[in-house]
Amino acid sequence: MYHLPTSCLVLFFLAFLFHHLPCASSKKELGGCETLFQCGNVTAGFPFSGQNRHKLCGHPFLELYCVNNITTLFISNKEFHVLKINQTSNTITLARFDLLGSFCSSTFTNVTLPPEVFEISPTYKSVTVFHLCDPWFPYHSSYKCPEIGLISMSENLEHNNNCRESFTVNLPTSFVPEEGVLNLTRLESALREGFEVKVKIDKNACQECLSFHAFCGFKETFPLGIKCGPLYQPHCKFLIHHYHFISTV
């Protein structure tokens, strides 16, 4: 007769207090989540995935890529360079790939950061860049690009009726658009240094997971939720509704 491992029986009893599911094979679901993502000077674990970390090991919006020792992340179909990840403070420093070169040659499009995952750090702000502007209107901070024409920057929408297009960039709160001619060199430097966002993933469920000497990932099915997976003896699975994650041992 087959007997469940002792560790499985202990967790099974704990889960029974909340909700019970039959034991099932889960060996492949979260395998490899103990491996960290490493690229250049960036190292990351949960809630990120990438390289040898399976997609289920991290949130779908936090899949990292490594090309020539440069870490990248795609948000709203736009590529960002990941300059730094601080997992203690749950923050990432990002720089838009399409704004790393000459600003006048950049792609002027808006990128929306999913608010359920990202929150811009309080030391940064959004500044509006206006283009296709009326050349006869007086602007507080403007620059004439060779091919695009007049562009202007503002922390509010005061030029909204005088320019046909606009998009936002994230800059340090210390960055103040100058009166008169915009200092393009200073702007390009600030964009290359990137901006910081907080990752809004609640890790409390993971603390419970770690207490079972396991690791965390995400389940594929809707609604999205945190999974707790095994480091050892992947033989049975049950769902703990109270903690909203799946524990497997």
Side-chain angles (χ1 to χ4, degrees):
M1 180 181 294
Y2 175 75
H3 296 282
L4 289 174
T6 302
S7 58
C8 183
L9 291 174
V10 171
L11 290 181
F12 180 86
F13 174 75
L14 292 174
F16 182 78
L17 297 176
F18 304 101
H19 184 77
H20 166 262
L21 284 179
C23 284
S25 174
S26 58
K27 184 175 182 179
K28 296 181 180 179
E29 287 188 346
L30 290 177
C33 289
E34 68 273 19
T35 303
L36 295 177
F37 172 91
Q38 292 183 317
C39 179
N41 63 346
V42 173
T43 301
F46 180 85
F48 298 92
S49 65
Q51 286 184 323
N52 293 329
R53 287 182 59 79
H54 191 274
K55 288 184 178 182
L56 293 180
C57 301
H59 192 280
F61 292 167
L62 298 175
E63 184 177 0
L64 303 173
Y65 298 86
C66 184
V67 179
N68 297 326
N69 279 332
I70 296 175
T71 302
T72 60
L73 176 68
F74 286 86
I75 304 174
S76 300
N77 295 321
K78 282 290 184 179
E79 183 177 359
F80 286 79
H81 281 192
V82 179
L83 306 181
K84 182 181 179 181
I85 294 179
N86 187 330
Q87 297 216 252
T88 302
S89 60
N90 293 333
T91 57
I92 321 175
T93 303
L94 301 168
R96 274 182 58 171
F97 176 75
D98 58 343
L99 298 179
L100 293 179
S102 167
F103 188 76
C104 285
S105 301
S106 301
T107 303
F108 288 176
T109 57
N110 259 325
V111 178
T112 301
L113 300 178
E116 67 272 22
V117 178
F118 302 104
E119 179 182 2
I120 188 168
S121 296
T123 52
Y124 291 83
K125 63 184 177 182
S126 293
V127 179
T128 303
V129 179
F130 296 91
H131 58 109
L132 299 180
C133 299
D134 180 358
W136 303 107
F137 185 84
Y139 302 96
H140 295 305
S141 183
S142 61
Y143 184 89
K144 189 173 183 179
C145 291
E147 296 181 5
I148 300 173
L150 192 70
I151 63 171
S152 177
M153 292 192 71
S154 176
E155 293 185 42
N156 52 56
L157 299 177
E158 60 187 31
H159 304 323
N160 192 40
N161 295 327
N162 301 293
C163 302
R164 286 184 286 167
E165 300 289 344
S166 66
F167 69 102
T168 59
V169 292
N170 297 313
L171 298 168
T173 53
S174 58
F175 186 97
V176 179
E178 297 83 358
E179 295 288 332
V181 179
L182 175 66
N183 187 330
L184 207 64
T185 301
R186 180 166 166 257
L187 172 62
E188 291 171 343
S189 177
L191 292 172
R192 284 192 294 269
E193 291 176 5
F195 61 97
E196 186 180 83
V197 294
K198 183 176 181 61
V199 178
K200 297 163 61 177
I201 302 294
D202 186 2
K203 293 185 177 181
N204 289 335
C206 268
Q207 296 305 314
E208 189 73 21
C209 182
L210 294 174
S211 70
F212 291 128
H213 304 288
F215 52 86
C216 289
F218 280 83
K219 61 189 177 85
E220 290 181 297
T221 57
F222 182 84
L224 191 67
I226 294 176
K227 265 188 174 182
C228 180
L231 285 178
Y232 311 102
Q233 296 178 313
H235 298 305
C236 75
K237 177 173 68 175
F238 44 83
L239 178 67
I240 304 178
H241 279 302
H242 183 72
Y243 291 114
H244 301 291
F245 63 87
I246 291 178
S247 178
T248 56
V249 291

